[in-house]
Amino acid sequence: MKSPLVVFDLDGTLLDTHADLVESLNHTIAALKLAPVNYSDLTYLVGNGAQVMIERACKLQGYILKSEELPTLLQRFIEHYIETMPGLTQPYPGLLAALDALKAQGYKFAVCTNKMEQLACTLLERLGLTHYFEAITGGDTFTVRKPNAEHLIGTVERAGGDLRRTVMIGDSINDILVARNAGVPSIAVPFGYSDVSVDTLGPNRVITHYDELTPALVRDLLAA
């Protein structure tokens, strides 16, 4: 029997990335002489990758972005974000202890994020966290992305897991929907970047701190 697999979203779930996302995004839109965005805007901006984040930031500031402008802006964002990684980004409190406790009981882990795979892998590597994960997939890894079920299914396959023994953890509607679409239970965390209360998204469970992510909780969800 394959080991149970816990799949995490990245931004706002595994890692508190808000300060560095805002900094790199503001660096990017400064090229258009736009006013900076702030943390309160993140729930609108984050969740579908860097390109959408740039597009939404421009819309938020009333700028009509031309399609030919986007590649240069995206490259500007990527270069700045990679150059400054990991910046102020860090794991949420209790995460590493929870991973270690689960790992000690045979659980394995993967990351399924709409962030570009290169950015996700580089960030986790610089934080010294890559060794925890059997697979790290991004919004550009496959031809689809969350909430399409195939993104999560492909991640589970790359991690050598079994969909029937998988739990998805995230902070936004895309995470809860991808779990539902793939037929796996979900856990929501409220400390990320959702623009609505996560308990309204219909997760199987909500945890408010990673102290609550225990082997017993995951076993209960897989047994339900």
Side-chain angles (χ1 to χ4, degrees), residues 92-95 98 188-191 206-214 217:
Y92 282 101
L95 172 70
V189 296
F191 40 72
V206 175
I207 60 172
T208 60
H209 190 283
Y210 274 116
D211 289 351
E212 300 171 55
L213 181 60
T214 62
L217 171 61

Side-chain angles (χ1 to χ4, degrees), residues 15 23 34-35 45 55 57 62 64 77 81-82 89-90 92 99 109 129 131 142 150 169 172 193 200 202 211:
L15 304 176
E23 181 186 350
L34 298 182
L45 299 171
E55 292 171 338
I64 300 174
F77 176 88
Y81 194 42
I82 288 179
T89 291
Q90 55 186 317
Y92 282 101
L99 292 180
F109 313 109
L129 300 177
H131 68 280
F142 306 109
E150 295 301 322
I169 303 180
S172 74
Y193 311 138
T200 68
D211 289 351

Side-chain angles (χ1 to χ4, degrees), residues 64-116:
I64 300 174
L65 184 65
K66 303 178 184 68
S67 59
E68 61 267 23
E69 293 176 302
L70 190 53
T72 300
L73 291 172
L74 182 59
Q75 190 60 33
R76 179 179 172 91
F77 176 88
I78 292 169
E79 288 176 356
H80 185 271
Y81 194 42
I82 288 179
E83 181 182 327
T84 56
M85 281 181 184
L88 298 175
T89 291
Q90 55 186 317
Y92 282 101
L95 172 70
L96 300 186
L99 292 180
D100 289 337
L102 286 164
K103 184 177 180 180
Q105 294 203 22
Y107 289 80
K108 294 185 181 297
F109 313 109
V111 172
C112 179
T113 175
N114 279 346
K115 198 184 200 79
M116 295 173 67

Side-chain angles (χ1 to χ4, degrees), residues 108-185:
K108 294 185 181 297
F109 313 109
V111 172
C112 179
T113 175
N114 279 346
K115 198 184 200 79
M116 295 173 67
E117 182 181 328
Q118 175 195 11
L119 299 182
C121 289
T122 302
L123 181 55
L124 287 166
E125 181 180 355
R126 292 189 185 173
L127 288 168
L129 300 177
T130 306
H131 68 280
Y132 278 108
F133 304 104
E134 305 299 316
I136 300 167
T137 68
D140 57 344
T141 302
F142 306 109
T143 57
V144 296
R145 59 170 58 190
K146 296 182 299 184
N148 190 301
E150 295 301 322
H151 189 177
L152 179 54
I153 292 168
T155 302
V156 173
E157 289 175 349
R158 287 197 176 195
D162 181 341
L163 206 62
R164 296 166 297 182
R165 291 171 59 77
T166 296
V167 172
M168 176 75 199
I169 303 180
D171 70 310
S172 74
I173 184 62
N174 281 340
D175 305 313
I176 307 308
L177 282 180
V178 77
R180 189 176 305 154
N181 293 340
V184 307

